[in-house]
Amino acid sequence: MSSLAPPTTVDLTPGRPGALADSGTLVWRGLARWRRDPGPLVASLGFNILIVLIFAYLFGGALQVPGGGSYREFLMPGMFVMTMVFGISLTTIAVAEDLERGITDRLRSMPVSPLAPLVARAVSDLLFALVTLAVLLVAGLAVGWRAHGGAGATLGAVGLILLLRFALVWVGIFLGLVTRGQTAVVAVQTLEFPLGFLSNAFVAPATMPTWLGAVAAWNPLSATVGATRELFGNPGWGGDSWAAQHYPWLAVAWPIALVAVFLPLSVARYRRLGG
């Protein structure tokens, strides 16, 4: 996602109602940037659709669905969550670019609530994720995926996916504030794939070595994938571990825990910039 445009035209005069209004202004400017420069959004959507097509049509014939059923219905909940993971680097890059271009320093020098730029980034990236997820839902329908759990369960599954993305936004914000240079950003991008594949998105944790399977079962991504498969009525791996039996609860608990850790860390780091 592209970073915020230079803040020279932002109306952030003293006396405005604080963080909420400032955040709204910065979110609006971020959305306007998408309209002027849609390239990053289009590229991200194209990449995610390409990954769906690769797994659905190239790898699908080689993978067995546990208990039978449609491989593509098994696949798509994992792809929805993997897309949220790929967003970590987008957030990290956007925050790091703002730092390198001096945009963050200029915002800090203005009468802007110290929470506003971070909240605006979180909201903007969550809206970006919402658009991405909507496109992937359509792509999933096009390749044969269906949700069988009813409207309420489907909305609940979408909510859990976006809740995870909101938590990962704060991970990305923190990493963007502490990393420096393109090498650090590439390192973040490189870690996304192990984080995503060390889960139950594509491979059953029971087939892994015992210790590795335990790590995969407790991966926050596994909780969201497992819970959304259940809500969508799609086939899944199952499992006898405590984590596998409580994925719906963990799909809520893990994001809350991540936000509780990385939101305060991000705010503290932001306030120390230039100190």
Side-chain angles (χ1 to χ4, degrees), residues 9-23:
T9 61
V10 182
D11 180 16
L12 296 171
T13 55
R16 294 191 60 195
L20 183 61
D22 293 344
S23 299

Side-chain angles (χ1 to χ4, degrees), residues 3 19 40-41 84 86 101 114 133 142 167 194-195 205 234 242 263:
S3 56
L41 176 60
M84 302 299 105
F86 292 151
R101 295 175 182 178
L133 182 57
L195 176 63
N234 297 152
W242 189 94
L263 191 157

Side-chain angles (χ1 to χ4, degrees), residues 193-201 208 211-213 215-217 219 221-222:
F193 282 92
L195 176 63
F197 283 101
L198 187 57
S199 70
N200 65 0
M208 304 176 187
W211 67 270
L212 193 61
V215 173
N219 186 331
L221 275 60
S222 293

Side-chain angles (χ1 to χ4, degrees), residues 4 29 35 52 59 81 85 89 97 118 126 197 210 220 253 258:
L4 295 171
R29 297 185 75 249
R35 186 179 66 252
V52 169
F59 299 154
V81 173
V85 177
S89 62
E97 284 182 350
L118 302 183
L126 192 61
F197 283 101
T210 302
L258 290 172

